[in-house]
Amino acid sequence: MTAHDTEAQSGTRRLVVDRSACAGHGLCYGRAPEIVDCDDAGYPVLVQETLRTEEHIVAAEEAVAMCPERALSLETL
């Protein structure tokens, strides 16, 4: 494993959706469409579960903060 690989791994995050808590407001996919899409009922579908770029991590953090049901969370891998 190179230093670059280690650096990428240490910054890798994963977006998680608690489907039992989600009410389908759509704020997450409205804020981060490159990471989250929606199904036919308006519930989130992850386009990218594993986030490696700073841009995607920031967008996911903002989507997590916007969720009124607290159905989104970020985990460090």
Side-chain angles (χ1 to χ4, degrees):
M1 183 178 288
T2 67
H4 178 71
D5 292 336
T6 303
E7 190 173 273
Q9 287 292 347
S10 67
T12 302
R13 309 277 299 273
R14 181 172 74 150
L15 185 62
V16 178
V17 178
D18 179 351
R19 298 200 184 281
S20 66
C22 180
H25 295 288
L27 297 174
C28 56
Y29 52 85
R31 169 57 194 96
E34 67 278 12
I35 300 168
V36 185
D37 199 357
C38 67
D39 64 13
D40 292 339
Y43 289 91
V45 174
L46 297 177
V47 175
Q48 288 189 36
E49 186 175 325
T50 304
L51 311 169
R52 291 185 174 87
T53 68
E54 185 64 27
E55 178 184 352
H56 288 164
I57 291 170
V58 169
E61 287 172 342
E62 291 174 2
V64 167
M66 296 176 92
C67 182
E69 306 301 331
R70 301 292 180 235
L72 297 174
S73 61
L74 276 174
E75 296 177 352
T76 301
L77 299 178

